Amino acid sequence: MSQLFILVELAAGYALFERIESEEIGIELEDVQKAIVELSRFQSIIRLKSFAPFRSAAHALENAMDVSEGVLNDHLKAFLEMNLPKASKKSKQPRWLHQGPLSFDCIIDDTVRELIRGVRLHADRLLAQLKDRDLDRAQLGLGHAYSRSKVKFNVNRVDNMITQSINLLDQLDKDVNTFSMRVREWYGWHFPELVKIVADNYLYAKLAKYIKNKSDLKEEQLDELEAIAGDPIKAKMILDAARASMGTDISEFDMANIESFADRVISLTEYRKSLYGYLVNKMHAVAPNLSALIGEVVGARLIAHAGSLTNLAKYPASTVQILGAEKALFRALKTRGNTPKYGLIYHSTFIGRAAQKNKGRISRVLANKVSIASRIDCFLDNPTNKFGEMLREQIEERLRFYEEGVTPRKNAEVMAEALKAAGIDMDIDEEDEEDDGAFGG
């Protein structure tokens, strides 16, 4: 019977066990599953051959990261070379041979998985080198260190901030519109003519806060009205309307509440502007190519809907095309109707500029380019917007091709220019292209 060794990575170190039972345990999986429940029976199956503890918490984290990424750590390599015999060239059992720095035959089947499960279950008692609760403390410490290391990346490229910002921006838009309508209705009882003169909600709230009681508005305040309204004609119209207003009188106490509420609307609107500026800056830092291609707001909505920039980069172009239209898609599949042509990318200016017959085609091209831009942003070490600008030019050329028949440039040519502009040295393989890039017409 050939030797079988079980390698188990634990939070405290690497443990190597050897099978000692002479029966063909690989045939009967149920026998192994029953044996691992009881420690005495399990100890009759395997025994500890060697244990290599980690030198420190940092050493444990380093090995855990290498294991998660499929990298053979030097510590593990030396441990295996020291304790494992050389693999035989002829093996009667089905094996999977690792082609790498070490050439050991490795069996991967349900029996081995059950043996590893048994080792993890009884690790505290199988490893005499460890004291009581040592393994639990090591697991807790390594778990925290591993989690922290996974979230330690460039703080300037955290896409979670984009998700929170765009969600807050959408919520603020709804709230500001609701509150502005309330200000208009509330102050409209006193000065109804102002609603027809001023259409902008932010400007209306500022004027309501400044004017207060329309009866007190004088000719001397015309310059200040003009400064707020930004238009001398509109300021004069407000002054004339205040003199001939049909609105009801209002008490000072009620006016104070209206003024306070208008002040809240003004502060929310100003915060919304600053939040938009913050979102634009974050998008330029995290996804510059996606921003240059489709715009900051639409790009942020795509990232938020996908969950992260990495998730968006993993999506195929066909999924990006209908991202945000899932309900319409499933309804169409259920009723066997026409599936949607676009989702969130509909808000892009390209879709609106395309003719009705070309909206579906341009949405396919745009989804293809968005998928490329998101992958570049996700995996490029040094952020640049050169690729997004070139991809945007390709969409413009495609629009002209549909409308005027002007032949667009090839992808290889455009990407070569983008690489040159970004200062990246890379060879481009020229291939035949479809009419719509990755999709058919």
Side-chain angles (χ1 to χ4, degrees):
M1 181 184 67
S2 60
Q3 289 179 299
L4 177 66
F5 297 92
I6 298 99
L7 174 66
V8 182
E9 71 280 359
L10 300 170
Y14 294 111
L16 186 68
F17 292 85
E18 181 180 5
R19 185 182 66 180
I20 59 177
E21 190 175 64
S22 59
E23 299 176 357
E24 301 252 346
I25 63 170
I27 298 176
E28 298 294 340
L29 179 61
E30 293 183 1
D31 295 340
V32 179
Q33 292 174 338
K34 293 177 181 178
I36 65 175
V37 177
E38 299 180 11
L39 178 61
S40 57
R41 291 185 60 186
F42 189 63
Q43 287 179 321
S44 66
I45 297 177
I46 63 171
R47 66 184 173 194
L48 180 65
K49 181 173 178 62
S50 181
F51 177 68
F54 296 130
R55 296 187 293 270
S56 62
H59 189 227
L61 177 60
E62 176 190 345
N63 281 267
M65 294 292 291
D66 287 344
V67 169
S68 66
E69 296 173 4
V71 178
L72 181 63
N73 190 277
D74 292 337
H75 177 67
L76 176 58
K77 180 180 179 182
F79 174 67
L80 293 177
E81 288 177 338
M82 183 182 299
N83 293 283
L84 285 180
K86 292 183 179 180
S88 59
K89 296 183 179 180
K90 295 182 180 179
S91 179
K92 297 180 180 179
Q93 297 185 10
R95 296 175 184 272
W96 177 44
L97 181 64
H98 278 287
Q99 301 293 339
L102 295 177
S103 56
F104 295 115
D105 293 340
C106 299
I107 299 176
I108 299 178
D109 55 20
D110 292 338
T111 301
V112 173
R113 294 189 184 96
E114 290 298 323
L115 290 173
I116 294 175
R117 189 167 70 90
V119 170
R120 295 189 184 279
L121 180 63
H122 303 293
D124 287 330
R125 286 180 259 182
L126 290 174
L127 300 173
Q129 299 91 331
L130 299 179
K131 298 179 181 179
D132 187 33
R133 309 294 294 177
D134 276 356
L135 190 58
D136 292 338
R137 286 190 289 268
Q139 289 173 346
L140 182 62
L142 180 59
H144 283 293
Y146 183 79
S147 300
R148 284 195 300 270
S149 67
K150 281 297 184 181
V151 298
K152 276 187 179 178
F153 38 81
N154 190 344
V155 294
N156 296 318
R157 302 190 66 183
V158 182
D159 53 7
N160 180 55
M161 302 304 170
I162 293 176
T163 301
Q164 302 300 328
S165 299
I166 190 63
N167 291 338
L168 179 56
L169 195 67
D170 291 339
Q171 186 64 45
L172 277 177
D173 286 337
K174 297 177 183 178
D175 293 343
V176 169
N177 286 334
T178 303
F179 295 159
S180 298
M181 292 305 298
R182 188 60 56 203
V183 169
R184 285 173 176 270
E185 291 181 11
W186 202 352
Y187 190 69
W189 284 96
H190 177 63
F191 193 180
E193 292 81 7
L194 186 62
V195 175
K196 298 180 181 179
I197 300 173
V198 180
D200 184 70
N201 292 330
Y202 175 64
L203 185 57
Y204 185 94
K206 291 185 71 175
L207 286 169
K209 180 184 177 182
Y210 174 75
I211 296 171
K212 299 178 185 177
N213 195 325
K214 66 180 187 299
S215 302
D216 299 334
L217 196 59
K218 306 298 181 183
E219 188 78 28
E220 293 78 13
Q221 297 175 278
L222 186 60
D223 292 339
E224 296 179 9
L225 271 178
E226 182 180 339
I228 297 174
D231 186 356
I233 299 176
K234 188 174 292 186
K236 182 63 176 174
M237 291 174 63
I238 294 172
L239 185 61
D240 295 339
R243 292 170 178 171
S245 177
M246 300 296 292
T248 183
D249 293 334
I250 195 168
S251 66
E252 293 184 3
F253 178 73
D254 293 333
M255 183 57 69
N257 281 276
I258 295 175
E259 182 184 356
S260 176
F261 189 52
D263 196 46
R264 296 289 190 278
V265 173
I266 293 170
S267 62
L268 273 177
T269 306
E270 291 174 348
Y271 174 66
R272 193 263 179 207
K273 292 179 180 178
S274 65
L275 181 64
Y276 175 75
Y278 167 77
L279 176 64
V280 170
N281 293 332
K282 290 300 293 185
M283 283 295 294
H284 288 170
V286 176
N289 294 290
L290 188 61
S291 302
L293 172 62
I294 203 171
E296 293 83 4
V297 175
V298 180
R301 287 199 175 104
L302 287 171
I303 292 175
H305 197 83
S308 67
L309 179 61
T310 304
N311 290 346
L312 182 63
K314 292 178 181 178
Y315 287 158
S318 56
T319 301
V320 174
Q321 181 180 343
I322 59 171
L323 204 62
E326 290 82 2
K327 289 184 179 179
L329 174 64
F330 294 131
R331 183 169 60 249
L333 293 175
K334 185 177 180 180
T335 60
R336 297 184 180 180
N338 294 329
T339 55
K341 296 178 180 178
Y342 27 66
L344 291 171
I345 62 172
Y346 176 78
H347 299 287
S348 169
T349 57
F350 297 115
I351 307 295
R353 289 163 52 194
Q356 185 63 37
K357 63 178 181 179
N358 294 325
K359 287 186 182 295
R361 303 177 73 184
I362 203 66
S363 67
R364 289 196 295 271
V365 179
L366 182 58
N368 181 26
K369 304 307 179 187
V370 167
S371 181
I372 294 173
S374 62
R375 290 168 189 174
I376 293 174
D377 288 329
C378 183
F379 300 110
L380 193 65
D381 293 331
N382 300 317
T384 176
N385 64 349
K386 300 299 181 182
F387 295 95
E389 292 175 353
M390 291 295 180
L391 292 172
R392 187 178 182 87
E393 291 180 6
Q394 276 195 294
I395 303 294
E396 298 283 358
E397 293 174 1
R398 187 67 63 172
L399 279 172
R400 288 197 297 271
F401 171 71
Y402 291 146
E403 295 174 1
E404 305 171 11
V406 180
T407 304
R409 292 174 294 172
K410 292 185 177 181
N411 285 338
E413 180 183 349
V414 174
M415 287 296 102
E417 293 181 12
L419 288 170
K420 183 178 179 181
I424 301 175
D425 187 15
M426 184 182 296
D427 294 331
I428 301 294
D429 296 331
E430 295 194 18
E431 298 178 356
D432 294 334
E433 300 175 357
E434 296 290 339
D435 180 48
D436 283 335
F439 298 88

